[in-house]
Amino acid sequence: MPQTIEKFAEHPRIHRLREVLTSKVPRPIWWTIPGDSPKSLNYSEACRTCSFVRKPAQRQVCQRRFLSALSQARQNQIPVQFVCPIERYAVCLPVVQNGQTQGYLAMCHSEQPVPETTLECAGLTVGTAVEEMERSQELKNLSEAIQPRCVALSTIHTIHRLISSTLNLEELLPRVARLCCQVLRVQSCAIWLVDRQKQLLVPRAVIELRKGKNWVLRPRRIGAGLTGQVASTCQARLTERMMVMPLVEEECIGVIMVRRGVPNQPFSTLDQEILTTLAEQAVVAIRNAQMYETQERVTWGTIKSLSDILNGMEPYSPHRTSRHRILAEVALAIAQKMKLPLAQQRPIQYAALLHDAGRLGIPEEILRKPSKLEPSELAKVREHTIKGARLLQPLEILEPALPIILYHHERYDGTGYPKGLKKEAIPLGARILAVANAFEAMVCERPYREAFSVARAAREIASHSGTQFDPEVVQAFLSVVRSKKLKGLVS
Amino acid sequence: MSLTPVQRQILKFFQEHPQAVETVRGIATWLGQEAEVVEQALEGLVSRKWLALHETSAVRGYALTADARFLTQIREALGAP
């Protein structure tokens, strides 16, 4: 229904109706009269056009006739035409909604009567306009009711995408906590995960948005304190300033707590619903990340064992196993310095442990030979990159590491092997491994020479920047050396 | 620095839905605007720290800042014509 009769008068259909009627009547007076049974009329507009109503006594006469016509229009809910005291014609159009008269549109001061058919059409037009405004209002109400729910649904979808796009718990948990703060408009959020062996809740992420405040979390025994009770009962707890929600998947895997900085703003049922939804999403993401971590540990262990077996079989190098681990650490440190994503770091570590697997196929006498190798022998040694990649190819988990193994002896200037690739054509992992491999070779003792110091090895590598090695990788490597990360490792 | 009409629309959207975390595409849909125009407007609002950006390698979610100072600035900016 039109909120006011004035607003209804602005409806395009009513506007058109007024235009049509006005075209047939010179200088008409239009009225918008609110209410079901008006007791008086506002003549301020009418006085400008009609001289008769300027005098109060005459206005009373006009008003009596007008109100009588309005009353008739209300009773019959149809347009009514009447003749005013100065023998002009006037029309009253009731605005009816659900059987109730909400007000009137009226026109007076016409020298000619409005034809019956026109009057009937005018009544129908008013009825149609009322229906249209009703429908429009219903749509608006519906939209106002639905939009917040749609936005909430869309938010849940975005959050799902944000938290399911990582399998790293160290990234995931602070992200979940930050999103909880965002969506619930709270200042603090903390997440504990259950350590079943120790029967403890271990704090894993905390977000504190209040400036200068620091929320220090400690492990909690399951069953003790608020969070401990939530973990043992799997029941959410709500206090004036905080909500504590269990993270449940068959059993409790953790607890999430949100806190408001300001008291007297209790959490609503909707807030609890939102946190429940977030917790449900978080549980799936956390479980996936935990399973991925377990799988990663198993894979890492398997590869380390494989590396130990392969390298232990190599004839002349009793310390080769530990040297491979040094190499893996150095390569990882460079990759981290270069801010490579985790998904690219892992294959570099795997490749570092297994990069020389292809040496197994090289005859012992060549590997043991203390003097300079013959060209044919050198060719055999150089085959180890291809052989290594081929040997490890059946292991699907190593697929991203294979190009690193295959090309780790390529040189930045294109003079390396097996393909003589240049610059960025060499996979980044292989460029990193080349530097780490050279460093490891220099700082570890060989049967035919003593080990270089870290500083000397670093100088040597720097001197081959841009020729043998990628300058960007060398920069990252030197920065790792400067940070003294390698000191304990190499000594 | 004044706000563009799309930036005003975006801020009003987040004022009405302070709990929302929304992508460029989602905001463009709610506002009936082109995604490119919305993305550009969002960048400006994030650089003013009026909007928070939750970002992963695959998704960028925008949300209203939680900082009271910036919320006041937003109210003042939207109050001015």
Side-chain angles (χ1 to χ4, degrees):
Chain A
M1 177 51 212
Q3 284 152 350
T4 64
I5 202 76
E6 284 81 11
K7 196 173 173 194
F8 177 69
E10 289 165 12
H11 188 282
R13 283 187 187 279
I14 302 303
H15 195 72
R16 181 70 190 132
L17 175 69
R18 286 170 63 156
E19 275 178 358
V20 170
L21 290 176
T22 303
S23 68
K24 296 178 179 173
V25 180
R27 299 183 70 207
I29 300 169
W30 278 99
W31 301 73
T32 48
I33 304 160
D36 176 22
S37 309
K39 300 284 179 248
S40 63
L41 299 174
N42 182 351
Y43 275 88
S44 55
E45 279 293 315
C47 286
R48 291 186 197 161
T49 309
C50 182
S51 55
F52 178 74
V53 295
R54 285 177 198 147
K55 291 182 181 166
Q58 291 171 342
R59 191 185 303 160
Q60 287 296 323
V61 176
C62 173
Q63 183 166 272
R64 268 201 300 277
R65 200 165 292 183
F66 218 132
L67 291 176
S68 161
L70 291 180
S71 169
Q72 197 186 336
R74 184 186 70 248
Q75 277 168 18
N76 301 321
Q77 296 192 340
I78 53 164
V80 168
Q81 185 162 213
F82 65 97
V83 181
C84 80
I86 55 167
E87 299 300 318
R88 298 282 175 96
Y89 292 90
V91 170
C92 296
L93 299 165
V95 179
V96 180
Q97 185 203 22
N98 299 331
Q100 277 286 57
T101 306
Q102 306 291 338
Y104 304 86
L105 286 175
M107 183 198 78
C108 69
H109 216 248
S110 169
E111 288 172 1
Q112 289 171 353
V114 176
E116 270 305 308
T117 49
T118 307
L119 204 58
E120 203 176 319
C121 283
L124 289 172
T125 303
V126 169
T128 308
V130 168
E131 277 175 23
E132 280 179 4
M133 286 199 76
E134 267 178 354
R135 249 178 268 135
S136 159
Q137 188 61 40
E138 272 172 25
L139 272 176
K140 198 176 162 208
N141 292 346
L142 202 61
S143 164
E144 279 172 5
I146 287 174
Q147 206 203 19
R149 286 166 176 77
C150 291
V151 172
L153 203 61
S154 185
T155 294
I156 288 167
H157 177 63
T158 307
I159 287 172
H160 170 73
R161 290 180 64 201
L162 282 166
I163 65 176
S164 60
S165 63
T166 179
L167 287 168
N168 178 359
L169 269 180
E170 303 310 316
E171 257 182 61
L172 172 68
L173 296 174
R175 186 177 297 165
V176 170
R178 195 168 289 281
L179 285 165
C180 283
C181 287
Q182 181 73 63
V183 174
L184 289 160
R185 310 300 291 171
V186 293
Q187 282 71 37
S188 330
C189 178
I191 299 174
W192 288 261
L193 292 186
V194 169
D195 181 333
R196 282 275 155 228
Q197 275 189 331
K198 293 180 181 165
Q199 281 296 295
L200 283 178
L201 278 172
V202 181
R204 295 293 299 268
V206 60
I207 297 292
E208 178 57 79
L209 297 178
R210 290 174 301 169
K211 291 230 159 41
K213 302 277 180 181
N214 193 15
W215 190 5
V216 181
L217 298 174
R218 290 187 184 83
R220 308 262 169 94
R221 192 148 289 284
I222 293 175
L226 188 64
T227 46
Q229 282 169 21
V230 169
S232 63
T233 60
C234 288
Q235 295 290 317
R237 291 282 293 272
L238 192 68
T239 71
E240 193 189 343
R241 284 177 62 184
M242 62 175 80
M243 275 196 292
V244 191
M245 189 70 62
L247 298 166
V248 184
E249 195 220 35
E250 290 179 0
E251 58 180 0
C252 183
I253 64 161
V255 165
I256 188 163
M257 177 195 274
V258 292
R259 290 198 313 195
R260 279 204 206 286
V262 190
N264 307 323
Q265 255 190 305
F267 288 104
S268 65
T269 316
L270 179 66
D271 290 330
Q272 206 172 339
E273 276 299 308
I274 290 169
L275 188 58
T276 305
T277 307
L278 285 170
E280 284 167 359
Q281 296 208 4
V283 165
V284 176
I286 290 167
R287 288 303 288 152
N288 284 343
Q290 285 177 329
M291 280 192 278
Y292 181 76
E293 276 191 356
T294 306
Q295 194 196 338
E296 277 286 286
R297 272 200 300 275
V298 171
T299 306
W300 184 238
T302 309
I303 287 170
K304 275 204 283 196
S305 300
L306 187 63
S307 166
D308 289 351
I309 293 165
L310 290 172
N311 298 317
M313 288 165 79
E314 199 172 310
Y316 82 106
S317 181
H319 303 300
R320 197 147 186 92
T321 299
S322 60
R323 281 167 43 193
H324 275 70
R325 292 208 178 143
I326 292 172
L327 172 56
E329 292 287 329
V330 174
L332 177 66
I334 298 172
Q336 286 172 339
K337 182 57 75 180
M338 294 180 81
K339 295 192 166 44
L340 261 59
L342 207 64
Q344 285 183 43
Q345 290 177 22
R346 274 289 190 219
I348 293 173
Q349 282 182 291
Y350 295 163
L353 285 180
L354 299 170
H355 72 288
D356 277 346
R359 289 165 74 103
L360 276 176
I362 302 171
E364 238 179 80
E365 58 272 21
I366 297 178
L367 291 174
R368 284 175 186 277
K369 192 172 178 180
S371 58
K372 198 180 173 188
L373 296 176
E374 296 299 322
S376 62
E377 291 169 334
L378 194 62
K380 276 203 164 49
V381 169
R382 287 184 167 188
E383 278 174 8
H384 83 278
T385 54
I386 298 169
K387 282 183 176 167
R390 205 175 287 155
L391 178 74
L392 299 168
Q393 202 169 15
L395 293 169
E396 206 177 311
I397 189 80
L398 291 176
E399 199 187 326
L402 295 184
I404 304 173
I405 293 170
L406 185 59
Y407 298 120
H408 75 276
H409 277 293
E410 297 287 1
R411 293 169 59 113
Y412 196 66
D413 58 8
T415 60
Y417 64 90
K419 283 203 169 167
L421 298 179
K422 260 186 183 178
K423 297 185 174 178
E424 277 70 36
I426 308 165
L428 178 57
R431 281 178 267 152
I432 290 173
L433 191 54
V435 171
N437 195 25
F439 175 74
E440 179 268 336
M442 285 187 269
V443 296
C444 293
E445 198 179 289
R446 289 288 193 269
Y448 49 86
R449 64 152 172 80
E450 284 194 353
F452 283 19
S453 69
V454 170
R456 185 178 167 195
R459 277 198 304 277
E460 194 65 27
I461 284 171
S463 71
H464 289 89
S465 175
T467 51
Q468 187 175 351
F469 305 119
D470 178 348
E472 211 178 313
V473 176
V474 172
Q475 279 306 313
F477 164 74
L478 293 175
S479 167
V480 169
V481 172
R482 278 195 294 273
S483 68
K484 296 180 181 165
K485 254 189 179 177
L486 306 178
K487 206 172 178 184
L489 189 70
V490 174
S491 65
Chain B
M1 205 160 58
S2 60
L3 291 170
T4 66
V6 177
Q7 285 179 324
R8 296 183 78 84
Q9 259 188 299
I10 292 169
L11 289 174
K12 278 182 184 164
F13 169 80
F14 279 113
Q15 272 194 330
E16 281 172 31
H17 306 285
Q19 295 178 323
V21 181
E22 197 47 280
T23 58
V24 171
R25 199 183 61 176
I27 296 166
T29 305
W30 293 122
L31 303 185
Q33 297 282 356
E34 292 290 326
E36 291 79 13
V37 178
V38 168
E39 191 165 17
Q40 204 178 352
L42 284 168
E43 276 171 24
L45 295 172
V46 170
S47 68
R48 285 186 194 199
K49 297 186 178 171
W50 288 4
L51 294 187
L53 174 61
H54 298 273
E55 190 176 21
T56 71
S57 54
V59 196
R60 288 161 77 91
Y62 296 88
L64 190 64
T65 177
D67 192 311
R69 272 179 312 145
F70 296 127
L71 289 171
T72 308
Q73 287 179 10
I74 292 170
R75 273 194 298 273
E76 285 169 3
L78 288 181

